[in-house]
Amino acid sequence: MSEAVSTLEGWFALHDFRSVDWTAWTSAPEAERQEALEELHAFMRKWSDVEAGKQGSSTIFTVVGHKADIAFMHLRPTLEELEAVEAEFNKTLFAMYTIQNYSYVSVVELSSYISQAENPEEDPAIQVRLKPALPKTKHVCFYPMNKKREGNDNWYMLSMEERRGMMRSHGMIGRSYAGRVTQIITGSVGFDDWEWGVTLFADDPIVFKKLVYEMRFDEASARFGEFGTFIVGNRMTEERLAEYFSV
Ligand code: 76R
């Protein structure tokens, strides 16, 4: 049996994708729409307090295309807290105008292919990656992925050295995008339908296309990458909320 790579786990993650029931929304009384938006504003303020207190992080983005209209990404220290944010939101007036059409449950993961921390609990650089404040970039891209397990292309049958070599090459490509993109890798084996969630943050959406395309030529992705649905969108700010939902 090949050696499993050891991983460090940080905050739990929920990606919560919602479609807006536009027919119900546009025909709702103005006062009700205002109340619903006020609730969402209140949540956004509460979530920034959670982030300031280093008890998690949340971001909202709008999704372009039919897959959803609005998406929430929450990071929290425990699965119970993650459930609580989702349940609290579900009880709002605003949530009644939404339909949850996709969600993804995972946990922030750092693997040890490239570097191994001596004492991760005490290492501030590791801790900030395991418990990150979500970047406030203009755009977000999310997709789930697997490493292939088929015939000669079985990632899980490779030796540690072979996998490490490929992850090194993968990391080098990633690093050439430093400053233009931030990736958060969340592991979801045992939690959701794919093995990882990939969430990318950038101010220029073309960077998502270039990075993902360049990686397709790299062995770790070319031979072993299997991808789910891609979702891309624009960060929602308190200022943009009124405009997006105005009727
Ligand atoms: O964490 C590190 O910085 C070390 C190097 C590194 C690892 C171990 C790294 C760097 N990644 C790692 C692990 Mn990654 N990553 C993806 C995708 O679309 C595709 O083809 C793949 C989707 C992107 C775009 C991306 C970007 N990475 C992983 C893993 C876990 C694999 C495992 O354990 O088997 C997956 C699934 C994955 C997928 N990667 C980077 C990036 C970028 C931009 C970097 C550089 C990060 C930096 O240096 O800041």
Side-chain angles (χ1 to χ4, degrees), residues 12-246:
F12 288 86
L14 173 67
H15 292 72
D16 180 350
F17 298 94
R18 309 264 170 162
S19 281
V20 174
D21 181 346
W22 290 111
T23 309
W25 180 255
T26 51
S27 51
E30 173 66 19
E32 189 161 316
R33 283 198 299 262
Q34 285 308 324
E35 195 186 329
L37 284 184
E38 196 34 62
E39 280 180 302
L40 201 51
H41 271 291
F43 266 116
M44 287 171 98
R45 273 173 238 133
K46 190 170 165 183
W47 293 338
S48 55
D49 291 345
V50 167
E51 187 175 296
K54 306 219 180 310
Q55 287 308 302
S57 185
S58 292
T59 194
I60 308 184
F61 54 101
T62 47
V63 173
V64 185
H66 76 282
K67 290 169 191 157
D69 290 306
I70 184 162
F72 301 89
M73 178 175 177
H74 300 293
L75 298 179
R76 290 295 181 277
T78 64
L79 205 50
E80 287 87 345
E81 284 159 285
L82 208 54
E83 178 191 76
V85 203
E86 187 182 15
E88 199 181 350
F89 174 77
N90 278 336
K91 290 171 203 155
T92 62
L93 181 61
F94 179 82
M96 283 181 223
Y97 292 97
T98 71
I99 302 140
Q100 188 180 44
N101 40 13
Y102 188 51
S103 69
Y104 205 78
V105 180
S106 53
V107 63
V108 178
E109 178 188 292
L110 289 184
S111 72
S112 57
Y113 282 123
I114 314 254
S115 56
Q116 240 156 335
E118 299 248 314
N119 194 352
E121 287 302 318
E122 305 295 323
D123 186 334
I126 298 284
Q127 287 302 310
V128 80
R129 292 184 64 191
L130 291 173
K131 301 167 185 178
L134 293 170
K136 300 201 168 19
T137 53
K138 283 160 71 179
H139 307 285
V140 182
C141 168
F142 169 79
Y143 52 99
M145 70 173 287
N146 287 341
K147 286 281 170 72
K148 198 180 276 183
R149 278 184 285 131
E150 262 174 40
N152 288 329
D153 296 337
N154 188 333
W155 177 258
Y156 298 90
M157 298 282 282
L158 300 179
S159 69
M160 173 63 87
E161 272 322 299
E162 284 173 293
R163 281 175 285 134
R164 178 170 286 136
M166 282 186 236
M167 288 319 291
R168 206 166 269 148
S169 164
H170 166 85
M172 295 285 278
I173 296 177
R175 258 165 232 171
S176 70
Y177 286 81
R180 288 183 289 158
V181 68
T182 303
Q183 64 140 9
I184 296 184
I185 295 297
T186 51
S188 42
V189 170
F191 292 168
D192 217 315
D193 299 342
W194 296 77
E195 293 167 351
W196 291 277
V198 178
T199 315
L200 306 173
F201 298 85
D203 282 324
D204 177 359
I206 294 298
V207 171
F208 299 141
K209 179 178 182 291
K210 292 212 182 293
L211 168 61
V212 173
Y213 186 66
E214 190 175 344
M215 282 186 174
R216 289 289 157 101
F217 292 90
D218 185 59
E219 199 169 2
S221 300
R223 254 181 92 195
F224 298 103
E226 286 185 331
F227 302 93
T229 202
F230 280 70
I231 291 168
V232 71
N234 309 314
R235 188 165 72 93
M236 178 58 97
T237 56
E238 282 212 53
E239 298 73 55
R240 211 159 74 77
L241 207 57
E243 181 199 326
Y244 184 81
F245 285 102
S246 78

